[in-house]
Amino acid sequence: MTDTPSRLNTGSHDLPVSPELSRFMAGDWAPSPLPDSVRVPPYAVTPGRRARLSALFPGERLIVPAGELKVRSNDCDHRFRPHSAYAWLTGLTGEDQVGHVLVMEPSGPHGHEAVLYLRPRSSRSDGTEEFYRDRRYGEFWVGRRPDLAEAERLTGLRCAHLDALGSPAGRDSSADAELAAALSELRLVKDAWEVGQLQLAVDHTTAGFEDVVRALPHALAHPRGERWIEGVFGLRARAEGNGTGYDTIAASGAHACVLHWIRNDGRLNGDELLLLDAGVETDTLYTADITRTLPLSGRFSPVQRQVYELVLAAQEAGMAALRPGASFRDFHRAGMRVIAEGLADWGVLKDAEGDRHRRYTLCSSGHMLGLDVHDCAKARSETYLDGVLEEGQVLTVEPGLYLQPDDETLPTELRGIGVRIEDDLVITANGARLMSNALPRTVADIEEWMGRLLGG
């Protein structure tokens, strides 16, 4: 099929194409096929994933889109990332997946045939101008797409042109919600390949935290030191993977009391703490999620140490509660008990009973981790939040204390201190393995680590 100029995503300032130029552009291009050996990284495991989904919906047509571009401003789009369920089922994670759709067509009494509808590489010899004129999809603008045969070798799926799909009619939103829940629940337990990708994300994130510590002298000198920190970590994330798995939180001083502080426009003060919550996303789209709260001077003050060590004790209690068969909420309850008792010991609370400690903790203490930073969020409560842990699940444990600068229930010396410690763990047969153990967690280890990286 030949695109007419009116269908192309061309800019308003594009020059018209003469018939002579069109003819000239259509010829004398050397063959440039993809290597026959190229496969998506999880090629061996995606058929099993699709089979598990198929078994849940016998006789039903299942539609899983990659998603569409969203405009950032005028003719500039946000960077595209395919939907996590689509990536999990196909293994395709690139920016070239815009608009593509996986359809599971009922086949036989119980099974499905998976068909990938995509926008294949444009021909250069049949008058099609897309490859050099289309700013959104053209090969010379955004890069090479596979043709249909290449896509089939890449994925092991039957592939068809996107134009053959048409528009699905009569969509049932309740059925969509059921499919979304099923796709989340199928991803709750990670296979060995996924755990390996998550460990890779954690390892790259560890390197990014080391980069940040080394960059602290420059960041402290800059009027927007938080952004310097964000940029340093972002460099590591783009160099080693797809980028950051979520917006980096680089929160100094009282900014650390804002749970999702992503403005990152503040100056750093050497007497304060830096809360850095950041994760590298791999090229396969699995992300780490780690938080460290660091003394910008390299050493904790007595009151900073007091707050930090209470949060660390809560995290230790939470991690100790992780094991197959334990309630998902057990680790949060264990950590919050430590926090409540500590606040009572300080005299901030009159006792540790009830939920008044939540004034200073605000949120839960962890979540599933995987293709999404808050992974499997569409799962039903009984299989996730009110369910039990299973071997192979990966999650974070991240208690925090957020002592607001204007909170008059607190002694003055505690106000404006925010501390969160977050690590990534995989549930094992007998407990949990700390995937992020290369980053120090205790006061002494952090001070030694920072001193070494800063050459002190």
Side-chain angles (χ1 to χ4, degrees):
M1 184 187 68
T2 302
D3 285 314
T4 62
S6 62
R7 292 188 60 195
L8 297 175
N9 293 283
T10 55
S12 59
H13 57 281
D14 280 1
L15 296 173
V17 173
S18 67
E20 180 183 4
L21 176 58
S22 183
R23 287 191 297 272
F24 184 58
M25 292 296 292
D28 298 315
W29 299 106
S32 55
L34 292 179
D36 288 349
S37 60
V38 173
R39 301 284 188 274
V40 292
Y43 184 88
V45 296
T46 50
R49 296 172 180 176
R50 295 190 294 269
R52 290 163 60 200
L53 178 64
S54 173
L56 296 175
F57 296 93
E60 297 189 55
R61 189 180 195 230
L62 308 177
I63 301 171
V64 183
E68 300 289 348
L69 288 168
K70 294 185 178 180
V71 174
R72 183 184 184 276
S73 65
N74 191 31
D75 58 353
C76 296
D77 296 311
H78 287 283
R79 185 181 294 276
F80 180 77
R81 179 194 188 277
H83 191 281
S84 294
Y86 172 90
W88 188 74
L89 290 167
T90 67
L92 294 164
T93 60
E95 295 181 30
D96 60 345
Q97 298 303 304
V98 176
H100 296 182
V101 182
L102 176 69
V103 178
M104 306 275 285
E105 299 283 3
S107 175
H110 302 294
H112 288 79
E113 181 191 18
V115 183
L116 180 62
Y117 291 89
L118 53 83
R119 183 182 294 103
R121 187 184 192 188
S122 298
S123 169
R124 299 189 189 179
S125 61
D126 63 357
T128 302
E129 296 179 352
E130 182 196 78
F131 74 96
Y132 69 96
R133 292 203 68 198
D134 194 310
R135 290 166 176 261
R136 265 190 162 176
Y137 307 115
E139 182 173 332
F140 287 4
W141 289 92
V142 297
R144 166 84 149 82
R145 298 193 305 268
D147 62 29
L148 290 177
E150 290 169 338
E152 290 186 347
R153 290 197 305 271
L154 185 69
T155 63
L157 290 162
R158 181 164 77 83
C159 295
H161 198 294
L162 189 60
D163 287 354
L165 176 61
S167 299
R171 297 289 298 278
D172 180 346
S173 60
S174 64
D176 286 349
E178 184 182 357
L179 176 59
L183 285 165
S184 278
E185 290 167 6
L186 287 171
R187 289 166 37 215
L188 278 167
V189 175
K190 273 56 180 179
D191 58 37
W193 182 84
E194 291 180 290
V195 173
Q197 290 299 298
L198 285 162
Q199 186 63 63
L200 182 63
V202 167
D203 294 345
H204 289 323
T205 301
T206 297
F209 273 71
E210 292 173 346
D211 295 340
V212 164
V213 172
R214 293 189 186 99
L216 282 179
H218 292 287
L220 283 159
H222 196 277
R224 282 186 166 185
E226 290 177 344
R227 293 226 174 143
W228 193 282
I229 295 301
E230 178 186 357
V232 167
F233 188 85
L235 173 61
R236 174 66 67 173
R238 284 294 283 167
E240 305 290 1
N242 188 52
T244 54
Y246 53 94
D247 288 330
T248 297
I249 298 169
S252 63
H255 289 167
C257 300
V258 180
L259 273 72
H260 290 167
W261 176 262
I262 59 172
R263 297 181 205 171
N264 299 342
D265 59 359
R267 180 184 287 276
L268 305 184
N269 182 329
D271 294 331
E272 295 178 333
L273 298 173
L274 170 72
L275 188 157
L276 177 62
D277 187 335
V280 173
E281 180 181 84
T282 63
D283 291 329
T284 57
L285 305 187
Y286 289 83
T287 186
D289 182 8
I290 297 174
T291 306
R292 287 294 182 270
T293 306
L294 308 174
L296 286 166
S297 67
R299 299 192 69 82
F300 290 88
S301 71
V303 69
Q304 291 168 352
R305 177 191 291 261
Q306 174 188 345
V307 177
Y308 185 92
E309 290 191 330
L310 178 55
V311 176
L312 179 62
Q315 192 196 34
E316 293 281 4
M319 292 193 297
L322 297 176
R323 64 181 62 86
S327 166
F328 173 80
R329 297 185 189 271
D330 282 352
F331 74 90
H332 170 69
R333 297 187 185 106
M336 290 304 97
R337 184 67 187 178
V338 171
I339 291 285
E341 290 173 352
L343 291 171
D345 289 343
W346 294 352
V348 171
L349 296 176
K350 64 178 182 180
D351 57 53
E353 302 308 312
D355 63 355
R356 286 167 298 163
H357 64 276
R358 292 180 61 184
R359 179 181 177 115
Y360 314 101
T361 60
L362 300 177
C363 66
S364 62
S365 301
H367 50 81
M368 293 295 179
L369 187 66
L371 283 166
D372 296 324
V373 65
H374 297 141
D375 206 33
C376 309
K378 299 295 185 181
R380 294 167 297 169
S381 179
E382 59 265 31
T383 65
Y384 180 179
L385 297 177
D386 295 320
V388 297
L389 297 175
E390 297 182 50
E391 184 177 358
Q393 291 179 335
V394 177
L395 70 163
T396 72
V397 177
E398 53 168 322
L401 272 175
Y402 311 100
L403 308 177
Q404 303 297 332
D406 56 351
D407 189 341
E408 293 184 341
T409 69
L410 296 168
T412 303
E413 66 272 15
L414 289 176
R415 296 178 193 175
I417 295 177
V419 172
R420 179 163 65 251
I421 310 170
E422 180 177 21
D423 284 277
D424 304 341
L425 300 100
V426 57
I427 303 299
T428 62
N430 301 312
R433 175 172 66 85
L434 182 59
M435 303 174 76
S436 46
N437 62 354
L439 279 175
R441 295 166 52 245
T442 68
V443 165
D445 287 347
I446 286 174
E447 291 179 344
E448 186 279 329
W449 174 71
M450 291 184 69
R452 174 165 42 84
L453 291 175
L454 290 168

Coordinates of all heavy atoms in Angstrom, one line a residue, residues 80-82 91-98 283 285:
F80 N 8.6 7.2 23.7 CA 7.7 6.1 23.7 C 8.3 4.9 24.5 O 9.4 4.6 24.2 CB 7.2 5.7 22.3 CG 6.2 4.6 22.3 CD1 4.9 4.8 22.6 CD2 6.6 3.3 22.0 CE1 4.0 3.8 22.7 CE2 5.7 2.2 22.1 CZ 4.4 2.5 22.4
R81 N 7.4 4.3 25.3 CA 7.8 3.1 26.0 C 6.5 2.2 25.8 O 5.4 2.6 26.2 CB 8.1 3.3 27.5 CG 8.4 2.0 28.2 CD 8.3 2.3 29.7 NE 8.8 1.2 30.6 CZ 8.1 0.1 30.9 NH1 6.8 0.0 30.5 NH2 8.6 -0.8 31.7
P82 N 6.7 1.0 25.3 CA 5.5 0.1 25.1 C 4.9 -0.3 26.5 O 5.6 -0.4 27.5 CB 6.0 -1.1 24.3 CG 7.5 -1.1 24.5 CD 7.9 0.4 24.7
G91 N 8.1 -9.7 24.1 CA 9.5 -9.4 24.3 C 10.0 -8.2 23.5 O 11.2 -7.9 23.5
L92 N 9.1 -7.4 22.9 CA 9.4 -6.2 22.2 C 9.4 -5.0 23.1 O 8.3 -4.8 23.7 CB 8.5 -6.1 21.0 CG 8.6 -7.1 19.9 CD1 7.3 -7.1 19.0 CD2 9.8 -7.0 19.1
T93 N 10.4 -4.3 23.1 CA 10.6 -3.2 24.1 C 11.0 -1.8 23.5 O 11.2 -0.9 24.2 CB 11.6 -3.5 25.2 OG1 12.9 -3.8 24.6 CG2 11.2 -4.8 26.0
G94 N 11.1 -1.8 22.2 CA 11.7 -0.6 21.6 C 10.7 0.5 21.3 O 9.5 0.3 21.3
E95 N 11.2 1.7 21.0 CA 10.4 2.8 20.7 C 9.7 2.7 19.3 O 8.8 3.4 19.0 CB 11.3 4.1 20.7 CG 11.8 4.4 22.0 CD 12.7 5.7 22.1 OE1 12.4 6.6 21.3 OE2 13.6 5.8 22.9
D96 N 10.1 1.7 18.5 CA 9.5 1.4 17.2 C 8.2 0.7 17.3 O 7.6 0.3 16.3 CB 10.4 0.7 16.3 CG 10.9 -0.6 16.8 OD1 10.7 -0.9 18.0 OD2 11.4 -1.4 16.0
Q97 N 7.7 0.4 18.5 CA 6.5 -0.4 18.7 C 5.2 0.4 18.8 O 4.1 -0.1 19.1 CB 6.6 -1.3 20.0 CG 7.7 -2.3 20.0 CD 7.6 -3.2 18.8 OE1 6.6 -3.9 18.6 NE2 8.7 -3.3 18.0
V98 N 5.3 1.7 18.5 CA 4.2 2.6 18.5 C 3.0 2.1 17.7 O 3.2 1.8 16.5 CB 4.6 4.0 18.0 CG1 3.4 4.9 18.0 CG2 5.7 4.6 18.9
D283 N 17.4 -2.3 29.1 CA 16.8 -2.2 27.8 C 15.6 -3.1 27.6 O 14.8 -2.9 26.7 CB 17.9 -2.6 26.7 CG 19.0 -1.5 26.6 OD1 18.7 -0.4 26.8 OD2 20.1 -1.9 26.4
L285 N 13.4 -3.3 29.9 CA 12.4 -2.5 30.6 C 12.1 -3.0 32.1 O 11.2 -2.5 32.7 CB 11.0 -2.5 29.9 CG 11.1 -2.0 28.4 CD1 9.6 -1.9 27.9 CD2 11.8 -0.7 28.3

